[in-house]
């Protein structure tokens, strides 16, 4: 209950996750590890952040996009198991849709990392890599990929 | 035997896998998880799909490229253990060599995802992320990265 | 002790690792798997290799950059547990900052792969994928991402 209360406090609603864009599933558990499919900055079925960092989008917008991806990742986890069952955040990969001279992927990625740490505290601390890619599905600004360990 | 029969039915031959391009190995098992090195759309030693989606290649060719990567991934798994020993497909990453405005990576990635699900059914369902990258080894059109759980 | 002696022999010093660039941690263990955050070619706090392969940098420099990322990854592991406790190198992802026509990511990635195999022998052999990306944090030439299994 504590996690859901914290989410409420932060004004974050955990809804039913978006259906996968194609022929894959949202989550897959192997042992205690839960893999979550790449999440985009979609809200209520609409892609809220599109285009490239370094061209159309500012860092702050990139951060917001990453945060929204992180919220969607939590929705995906909650559709598999209660968020209280997360033992530890393991690995986050952040893919930033960017121009070839945009060197601030870590600042963008912090939008997702901060959300996990703000809500889950020490449990939310994770390893990470952040890279800029040529494009993302639907011209999304950010996509994130997460692995968590369940209790 | 069932899996090999299904592969035969679909006209897919499981051959000896291509040797790694460099100083790494094809597969590595840790616990029940089997990691497979990135696979390219190579057949009989020849790269069949090269160049960028959104420029030289159409989506259908990208799908075929992804399917061929998936077949090579199965060859790699079979060189490690019988394909019947797969308990579950866990995580697929699809890297698409594309122009900076190609937004259909998921359609390309479906070439690999569909193959796994067509052959393995529910076991073949996996989490996924699909991104467009600046380039791939040998100018390959697609590269895929897979983790499966073994029985 | 054997590993540290081998490192000494190769003139490689295992120092305290660089702090993460942002809101994440350097290592995270789940079961016997240790995930290490993406490492850049930084030495003594300074980024030694920046810019794109295929434009500013030659393959040899890319290899050196990848090697330095690999050394930093070992520093990160050593800050978590003794390097002697590594049972097996599992998966390496190499991200190369490159132009859209640079097709030699595997040669660059070998800079990291060789180091692991030279130092750890059979244990050091790993699965791998190597991709070229649009940009990396701080305009780094290479970033690597590693998973190892601990004893």
């Amino acid at each position: 209950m504590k996690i859901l209360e914290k989410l409420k406090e932060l004004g974050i609603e955990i809804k039913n996750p978006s259906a996968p864009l194609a022929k894959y599933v949202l989550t897959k558990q192997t042992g205690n590890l839960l893999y979550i499919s790449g999440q985009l900055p979609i809200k209520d079925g609409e892609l809220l952040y599109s285009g490239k960092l370094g061209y159309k989008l500012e860092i702050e917008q990139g951060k917001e996009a990453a945060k929204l991806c992180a919220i969607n990742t939590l929705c995906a986890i909650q559709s598999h198991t209660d968020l209280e069952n997360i033992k530890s955040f393991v690995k986050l990969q952040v893919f930033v849709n960017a121009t070839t001279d945009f060197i601030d992927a870590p600042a963008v990625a912090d939008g997702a990392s901060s959300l996990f740490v703000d809500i889950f505290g020490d449990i939310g601390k994770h390893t990470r890599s952040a890279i800029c890619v040529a494009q993302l599905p639907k011209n999304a600004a950010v996509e994130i990929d997460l692995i968590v360990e369940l209790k």
Side-chain angles (χ1 to χ4, degrees), chain A residues 3-25:
Chain A
I3 293 298
L4 288 180
E5 277 167 24
K6 214 160 207 172
L7 286 164
K8 213 172 171 180
E9 219 178 270
L10 293 166
I12 295 169
E13 211 182 330
I14 298 298
K15 304 181 178 184
N16 287 332
S18 305
L21 294 183
K23 296 187 179 181
Y24 56 92
V25 293

Side-chain angles (χ1 to χ4, degrees), chain A residues 17 33 37-38 59-60 92 112 123 133 140 144:
Chain A
L33 291 180
S37 281
I59 288 179
E60 274 312 308
L92 173 67
I123 285 174
V133 298
I144 76 169

Side-chain angles (χ1 to χ4, degrees), chain A residues 21-92:
Chain A
L21 294 183
K23 296 187 179 181
Y24 56 92
V25 293
L26 210 52
T27 58
K28 191 93 180 220
Q29 187 172 345
T30 171
N32 285 339
L33 291 180
L34 183 68
Y35 287 75
I36 300 102
S37 281
Q39 294 298 309
L40 304 177
I42 288 173
K43 195 176 180 179
D44 299 330
E46 198 190 342
L47 183 68
L48 291 199
Y49 298 91
S50 63
K52 291 191 190 304
L53 272 291
Y55 172 57
K56 197 182 139 194
L57 297 174
E58 303 292 329
I59 288 179
E60 274 312 308
Q61 295 169 291
K63 266 188 185 171
E64 287 300 315
K67 184 181 172 183
L68 186 47
C69 295
I71 292 171
N72 288 334
T73 300
L74 296 182
C75 296
I77 297 172
Q78 177 73 25
S79 76
H80 179 94
T81 183
D82 198 278
L83 290 173
E84 295 289 346
N85 289 330
I86 299 175
K87 185 180 170 192
S88 177
F89 283 67
V90 176
K91 179 61 186 275
L92 173 67

